[in-house]
Amino acid sequence: LKFLLKASKMASMKKATGPTQQVKSCAKAPEKANIGNLPPEMAADLQECFQHYLEEGEFTIPDHLFRNILQNFGFHKMGPRDIEDELKKSDPEYLKRNCVDFAFVRHVVTFRWNRGIRSEPGKDEEAKECFRLFDKRDRQFITHQEIKPVLA
């Protein structure tokens, strides 16, 4: 029994220190980037998502989990190549990385929020068109009496 325990311990040590262990190369957010801010509730959600994937004692998450987070924060409509191009804007060497820290995650999502999602062409016009559905008299404001018949 002692022999089996010792062999098991040696095998686990070999796994942890063996040549197959991948060296972490983490993406970092640019130091001087003025990209704006996220809304507070969105920033809190982003922090919660990142914390969910963190392992105890770690400060970074693997790339594949980072991509899961991106899907929840506005990247779901983009193709893989478009996502890679967006990530290269934040770190030109991104494709050589295998993990990310929270600063990088926040940077990428904030950049997409302030320059991508909010500035997509047609979004303002689409919102105005929806408002006009309720504003039948073209008064530039709506009341609950005007909303009720449209939703009924």
Side-chain angles (χ1 to χ4, degrees):
L1 183 61
K2 286 182 182 180
F3 174 75
L4 290 175
L5 289 174
K6 188 174 182 180
S8 173
K9 186 175 181 180
M10 292 294 284
S12 67
M13 286 177 61
K14 192 173 189 178
K15 282 183 190 173
T17 60
T20 60
Q21 185 179 17
Q22 192 175 21
V23 177
K24 283 187 177 182
S25 173
C26 292
K28 300 284 185 191
E31 302 223 357
K32 295 180 180 179
N34 186 12
I35 57 169
N37 293 316
L38 288 173
E41 53 284 339
M42 190 174 186
D45 288 345
L46 184 62
Q47 178 75 38
E48 186 178 336
C49 285
F50 188 82
Q51 293 293 329
H52 175 76
Y53 288 122
L54 272 182
E55 293 196 18
E56 193 171 322
E58 292 289 324
F59 299 102
T60 61
I61 60 172
D63 177 59
H64 69 279
L65 296 177
F66 168 57
R67 290 180 183 268
N68 288 348
I69 291 174
L70 291 181
Q71 294 301 310
N72 295 319
F73 286 91
F75 288 76
H76 60 281
K77 294 181 181 178
M78 298 172 70
R81 185 163 290 172
D82 295 330
I83 292 174
E84 286 178 4
D85 290 342
E86 190 84 13
L87 295 174
K88 285 181 197 175
K89 290 176 185 174
S90 297
D91 183 357
E93 300 289 314
Y94 175 76
L95 295 178
K96 297 178 183 175
R97 313 288 189 210
N98 59 11
C99 64
V100 297
D101 61 0
F102 182 70
F104 184 76
V105 174
R106 186 179 59 229
H107 174 80
V108 169
V109 172
T110 303
F111 181 82
R112 174 85 176 131
W113 174 256
N114 288 313
R115 299 229 167 68
I117 295 173
R118 289 190 356 192
S119 65
E120 284 181 15
K123 287 286 184 184
D124 288 338
E125 189 57 41
E126 185 179 346
K128 288 176 185 177
E129 185 178 328
C130 289
F131 184 82
R132 284 191 293 269
L133 285 173
F134 297 103
D135 188 19
K136 300 283 186 199
R137 297 182 188 144
D138 198 29
R139 297 181 295 169
Q140 303 303 314
F141 68 92
I142 56 176
T143 64
H144 70 282
Q145 287 92 3
E146 293 165 322
I147 295 174
K148 194 172 182 179
V150 174
L151 296 179

